[in-house]
Amino acid sequence: MIVPTKLSLVAGLSLLVATAAAAVDIASTDGGAAAPASPAATIPALATAHAEKGLLLSVARAGDHLLAVGGNGVIVTSRDGASWSQVLTPIDLTLTGIAFGDANNGWAVGHDALILHTRDAGQHWEIQHYEPDLNAPFFAVIATSRDHAVAVGAFGLMRQTTDGGKTWTALEPAQVVDEKYHLNAATRLPGDRIAVAGERGLVAFQTSATEWARSTTPYDGSFFGILPWGDAGAIAYGMRGNVFATDDLAKGAWRKIDVGTLGSLFGGEVLPGGAVALVGADGQMIQVSRSGASQPLAPSINVAGKSSSLAGAVVDGNALIVAGELGVYSVPLR
Amino acid sequence: MHAESKGWFSTLFVKLTEPLIFSKRPLTLTVLTLMTVFLGYQALNLRLDAGFEKQLPKGHPYIQVLKKYQDQFGGGNSVLLAVSQKPGKGDIYQGRFLESLKAATDAVFYTPGVDRTRISSLYTPNVRFLEAVEGGFRGGNVIPSGFTPNEASLAMVKDNVSKASIIGRLVSNDQRSAMVVSELVDKDPRTHRQLDYIETAHRFETIRSRLLKPTLYELKLKEDYRGIKSGTLVATVYDDPRGAFSRFKRYTTSVRNSDGDVTEHKVPASKLQVFASDNPEFNPDIDVEIIGFSKVIGDVADAALQVTGFFVLSVVLVWLVLSYYMGSLVVSLYPLSCGVLAVIWELGILHLAGYGLDPFAILVPFLVLAISVSHGIQITSFWLLEVADHGLDSFAASRATYRRLVIPGITALVTNIIGFGTILLIPIGIVQEMAINAMFGLLAVIICKKILLPCLLSYATIKDPQRFRDFQKQRDAKLKPIWNGLAVLTNRPIALSILGGFGLLWLASGFVARDLQVGELHAGVPALKPDSRYNLDSDFISNNYAIGVDILQVYAATKTNGCIDYDVMNRINRFGWYMQNTPGVVSTTSLAGLDKVVWGQYNENNPRWQQLPRSPDGLILAGQQFTTSTGLLNDDCSVMPMYIFTADHKATTIDQVIESIKRFDTDGRAPADLKLELAGGNVGVMAATNDVIKKTEFTVLFWLYLAISVCVIASFQSIAGLICVVVPLAAVSVMTYAIMVFLGIGQTVATLPVAAFAAGIGVDYGIYIYSVLEENVMSKGMPLRQAYADTLHQTGKAVIVTAFALSASVATWMLSGLQFQIDMGILLTIMFMANAFAALLMLPAFASILMKSQPIPVFARA
């Protein structure tokens, strides 16, 4: 052959995307307006050779091994954080969160209000909840025991189970869901109380098993995550490097923490000793000590020409396992 | 070349044609001269043919799919021009560099044929940085207008670049190079003609010179010319235009008249004065890399034309070989000039038949020269024999030569024509044209060699026949020990060991040849050499940017508005994810995959939103920014190509990827209204081509050897003759496969015709040797050893000289800038030589086993 057909040099087209100047805030206008799609038959996730290199959004520990969930219905598992293998799931939607109530029982949540459940530490998964007509994704799940878990998602979506997932019921505490803000994250505070964070600086927390309270934060943008901060406090993080912490959630005296980045922070984890690791856009990883001082935890994970946001993290011995758009990485902790 | 022409047909043919040609020689020569003038004029009008369509195996289903969708996905014809800091010169955030980048951007903008709305570089307003901020987005130009370089502003540009997510696309991964990406229009907006890719390629080359050459030369009119004022600047060039043949060059300038109409004038260089000055845009710290489809076409066309220059070299080499053989620089000019004439005729006929000159066609004249010279050697040597040994005058010798050689010569040429005809079985336009072209050439050879040469020789004189004869005898005596030595091969034990040796070599070659790969093995554009400027540029860009150059396109064909159907899009997305996990695939790009990413970006850039929205509204929103010009979807959104970037374009990689694609749809989950159709992109074309090669290789070789065998059997009416002639050919072709493995040459559309050319022409050696050997043994009753020694005495020299003449004419291809011409040159040179030696060595060995000596009683010959 002399010459191929036209070289359509479209590589990096994905990057074109970022130059689109359409400044539309769709997130809060879509949803209910769209015509409900009929729930299609579920399609099992594809078994792939390198699922650990795809989009992964959340990592968790179950007994002696690690699990990560992400795009295309992928769940991968590893014993050492280095080599990963895919576990088959009954559906190929993007999974956003994973949590375990004990060593064997856990949940993974995702788009189309999907909740998957495992009884064998993540080797097999079954669908417990799936409502595509809601047109809303779950973003996080928190389990306090093998029976009790809470899942939160877009447009104030909240579901709870107290029977190991046999039934999932709607939770509608006005302090949390009134404005139908996206509930982007949830965390488990000391005493098995749950806190959620979301749009417009939303932070709410359980004051008892049934009662919820809203904390007024000084931030008006989106929080993408929340973690415990000391015994009674919380640290919330979100868009463009905005991080706020309070030592007492009930009192709610928030202070801004300067983390030295304008990149959004999408995930985090409490480190041994109470400091937190925050991860986010451009593969950034930041450590915030209890004093409020921050420093890079490790060099950013970047591959030229690719978007490399991180969204999930979990501690594994002396390493932090982080997950994001380029897959899962193990980062040594000092 | 064969034994004496026998049979009623040949007798009749000679009886009819001989007086026709020789009775009125001046008339014959006049007719031939007029024909030459006419065809020469035609040949001068031959144009380089940029019809690259015909390089596709058009019957292949992949190509039919490609053609079906090609028009729906115009565009995608981009040219990428990278401006890079030389090593050690730092990153791009320097005033001097950005100045050069701006100059390059402006130059591309003003290049005719470039779509000015679709240029992107750091300096174009469409390249913006965009941040998701509280409540929406915020953005701006990467390099703001009114930019002046200083420490703060350069740092700001660097920050904007990182925010704009253009690293890997417009700025290299290491930020030491930046790109001007432009799209070409299909039709020149001014002339409404199809864009001239070659011209466009040259214009981009000028941009490179503009930044890299220290001196510029302005060409201004010396005097008024066709209404253009004296002193008008006609052209600016960056290479000194005052070369040897510069006077004959013409420069095109466009003039806008008072009505605003633009007319183009070609101004001869003789009317221009050259003014040299320092080039203000010259930047010694940078380099410029350019890639793109039209650049490939331009570079291939330039390299293809270059090879014509080597034709002169070929002619000189062949002349030297001929002169050595004939012992006279002058006599050898007769067959040589007839050979060149045959080439002129061939090119003339080519133009008459409506063909142009493409990179394959350019090679045919070399072959025609080779074939016509090999026939010329026989004719001239027979004529010399008649003149020198038998003392005939030139005219009588010519007639004798004609009588003796016209029929066997034509038979041999017909064998060649049939051999070339088998190339027609390769269903690729350009190769078929090559075959037709070669056949035209052989027709020209028949006329030039069989009619013109004897005619010319009848006027030739040898000044001192005795001296000439002595020279010949002296040289023959030197060669005699070699021929006697080779005759030992007819001893049965030696013959058996020679054949055993060849058998082992054959087996070993066959073993090595199992590793012979189909398809292109080198990186980059296969037509160009791996170290060509284009391929180095392509290598640089694919190593330093996140841009792949090996692309396989799979067309997802569905219903109208399929791009807002979740099931369809989800399936395409799944296919992309599947392909990303296929070995040999680097990455994939599709509308479905991008919609998913965009959905995340619209939702505050939160990666947890990266999922195709289920509602049509969501899909519309996610996909709205992708216009048809992205090549991601067609007008009614019923076809969406998946771009699969492969690690390379080796056949093993392609096979693996294609196999994987075919397996994907076997899961039974595809929506009924979605079809994945193969294939487009350079890798898709290669997949189709490789397929065609695999399928046609056997067919071509089968018919080739069948045709040769039939011709050989028709000549000798013996199986022994068939084996003696054809087996060495087959052995050489297997050994050539082994050589291809060693040289890293894959089986391509270029190497298939080589097999046919080599065997089709190489068979002549065997026929030549065997016909004399058979005559010596069968008719003259010589013992085999003596018969072979005598055969070599008569023909060995001619065989070797022919081998050298043939090789000399194709060896110059190795100097070409086109990789496939180099490959063909190497292989043909090797095969032309190897066929001669295989014939000289194997033929007698086979003969000693197969040929029954049947000494015919002497009286029977009376």
Side-chain angles (χ1 to χ4, degrees), chain B residues 361-374:
Chain B
I362 281 174
L363 298 183
V364 175
F366 292 80
L367 282 175
V368 169
L369 178 74
I371 297 166
S372 69
V373 163
S374 91

Side-chain angles (χ1 to χ4, degrees), chain B residues 14 27 72 94 117 138 228 306 383 415 476 479 685 698 759:
Chain B
V14 171
L27 180 66
Q72 301 187 34
Q94 299 175 35
T117 61
R138 189 173 69 196
I228 315 172
Q306 258 172 28
W383 179 84
T415 316
D476 287 354
L479 290 167
V685 171
F698 177 78

Side-chain angles (χ1 to χ4, degrees), chain A residues 2 17 111-112 219 222 325, chain B residues 134 527 601 604 608 610 614:
Chain A
I2 316 290
V17 166
H111 282 252
D112 286 352
Y219 184 55
S222 287
E325 288 180 282
Chain B
E134 292 81 355
Q601 290 180 333
E604 302 182 307
R608 289 190 184 86
Q610 286 191 23
R614 205 173 258 282

Side-chain angles (χ1 to χ4, degrees), chain A residues 1-27 30 33-35 37-38 40 42-46 48-51 54-55 57 72 74 92-94 96 111-112 130 132 135 137 139 154-155 182 184 219 221-222 224 239-240 242 266-267 304-305 309 311 325, chain B residues 52 55 66 75-78 80 128 130-134 137-138 165 167-169 173 186 197 293 296 300 360 520 525 527 534 546-549 551 566-567 570 573-574 577-578 581 589 594 596 598-599 601-611 614-615 617 621 625-626 630 632 643 645 669 681-682 685 689 749 820:
Chain A
M1 265 334 292
I2 316 290
V3 174
T5 53
K6 287 180 187 177
L7 282 175
S8 307
L9 299 150
V10 295
L13 252 182
S14 55
L15 295 166
L16 274 176
V17 166
T19 63
V24 191
D25 190 2
I26 309 124
D30 182 60
S38 60
T42 56
I43 300 169
L46 203 60
T48 53
H50 291 289
L55 172 70
L57 296 165
N72 302 295
V74 161
D92 68 348
L93 297 167
T94 300
T96 52
H111 282 252
D112 286 352
Y130 175 54
N135 231 321
F139 289 132
F155 311 110
H182 293 329
N184 288 326
Y219 184 55
S222 287
F224 295 126
M239 283 190 88
R240 311 186 69 237
N242 278 292
F266 297 114
S309 292
E325 288 180 282
Chain B
F52 289 88
Q55 297 168 17
L66 176 70
N77 186 7
S78 18
L80 278 60
R128 296 164 64 80
L130 188 77
E131 302 174 88
V133 294
E134 292 81 355
F137 294 95
R138 189 173 69 196
S165 307
I167 292 177
R169 191 169 65 92
N173 302 342
D186 288 337
Y197 287 145
F293 176 69
V296 172
V300 168
F360 266 112
E520 309 289 353
V525 174
Y534 186 92
I547 286 171
V549 289
I551 304 166
Y566 175 81
D567 289 337
N570 196 38
N573 174 61
R574 185 180 172 95
W577 171 238
Y578 170 84
N581 278 281
T589 299
L594 290 175
K596 189 167 162 171
V598 169
W599 195 240
Q601 290 180 333
Y602 273 169
N603 286 287
E604 302 182 307
N605 231 336
N606 182 352
R608 289 190 184 86
W609 278 98
Q610 286 191 23
Q611 162 71 36
R614 205 173 258 282
S615 68
D617 294 356
L621 210 49
Q625 64 170 303
F626 299 108
T630 57
L632 292 167
Y643 293 81
F645 296 87
R669 293 184 191 279
N682 60 332
V685 171
T689 310
V749 285
F820 76 91

